[in-house]
Amino acid sequence: MKIRSFLAFDLQNDFKQKLFQRFEEVHSQYPDSGRIEKAGKLHITVKFFGDSEPSRLKVLSEMLREGLRLPELEVEVDKYGYFGRESDRIVLLAQARLNPEPSEFFHSLNKILHSAGFPETGGDFKPHITLMRAKRKLPDGFLDKFLSSDVRNLRSRIRSFVLYESKLLRTGSVYHPLLEIM
């Protein structure tokens, strides 16, 4: 049985709570807008693999554990954004910046991914934190209120780099760490 998985930067719990609370302030004014992600699930996805053989993920985990070092990184959020079309399915997110730029980390990661037979991360990495996936048109005024909300000055250290298993359930996705690099 294949495992659905992805790599992500995990965030400090207090940072997740602050970001969640700021988003909840907007969302609570529009309770029918959709189901928001739980604060504990917030992360920055680096690479989504989809379904992979467990044996391949085991090899990747060992290579990551032995060959990858997480540098000291800080995440900063300064505004909200979205992917998709307003009239259709849309992903609401917090746009993030990583400081310093982790180019050496990504170079090492891509070497490991390549050696393990996985696709490398692309040059179009745009750090973001998914807050909500709306499966229908958002209520009038919600997107404007969301995009104009102040989320400046939210900063935190990156806690860890994680290989997650993602199980899709009727109630939403559930993440289980397969490997964590502190």
Side-chain angles (χ1 to χ4, degrees):
M1 191 165 101
K2 293 188 176 186
I3 297 174
R4 185 173 189 259
S5 61
F6 65 94
L7 289 169
F9 290 115
D10 195 17
L11 307 166
Q12 302 273 351
N13 288 332
D14 62 333
F15 175 82
K16 291 180 194 183
Q17 285 297 327
K18 286 177 190 172
L19 183 58
F20 179 82
Q21 287 169 350
R22 289 202 187 172
F23 179 61
E24 178 59 26
E25 289 171 12
V26 175
H27 184 265
S28 65
Q29 298 172 33
Y30 301 86
D32 296 332
S33 58
R35 185 174 60 215
I36 60 178
E37 291 290 347
K38 294 181 176 104
K41 289 178 59 180
L42 300 180
H43 63 273
I44 299 173
T45 301
V46 172
K47 185 68 180 173
F48 179 74
F49 297 122
D51 294 330
S52 301
E53 294 293 335
S55 59
R56 289 186 68 213
L57 290 174
K58 184 177 180 184
V59 169
L60 176 61
S61 292
E62 290 169 5
M63 293 177 78
L64 289 169
R65 185 180 297 114
E66 291 175 15
L68 194 64
R69 300 292 168 254
L70 180 64
E72 286 193 26
L73 293 173
E74 182 179 79
V75 60
E76 180 179 1
V77 170
D78 60 2
K79 65 181 179 177
Y80 287 135
Y82 67 93
F83 292 134
R85 295 186 314 235
E86 289 181 52
S87 61
D88 200 6
R89 300 170 69 90
I90 189 170
V91 175
L92 302 178
L93 54 93
Q95 296 178 356
R97 280 194 310 264
L98 299 175
N99 298 312
E101 174 65 38
S103 54
E104 286 183 37
F105 173 81
F106 280 111
H107 178 73
S108 298
L109 174 61
N110 281 331
K111 285 172 71 174
I112 292 169
L113 291 173
H114 180 78
S115 295
F118 284 88
E120 297 177 16
T121 62
D124 60 346
F125 175 66
K126 293 181 178 84
H128 67 276
I129 303 162
T130 299
L131 302 169
M132 184 176 98
R133 289 176 177 82
K135 296 183 180 178
R136 61 183 184 278
K137 186 175 181 342
L138 293 169
D140 290 339
F142 177 85
L143 195 56
D144 290 335
K145 179 80 171 166
F146 170 69
L147 293 173
S148 65
S149 298
D150 183 10
V151 287
R152 290 176 296 174
N153 300 319
L154 273 180
R155 292 184 177 90
S156 179
R157 290 220 178 273
I158 296 291
R159 191 175 82 78
S160 60
F161 188 67
V162 183
L163 173 61
Y164 281 108
E165 175 182 8
S166 174
K167 291 185 179 182
L168 296 177
L169 306 175
R170 285 186 189 160
T171 56
S173 59
V174 176
Y175 304 150
H176 173 73
L178 300 174
L179 170 72
E180 186 170 19
I181 299 171
M182 302 299 273

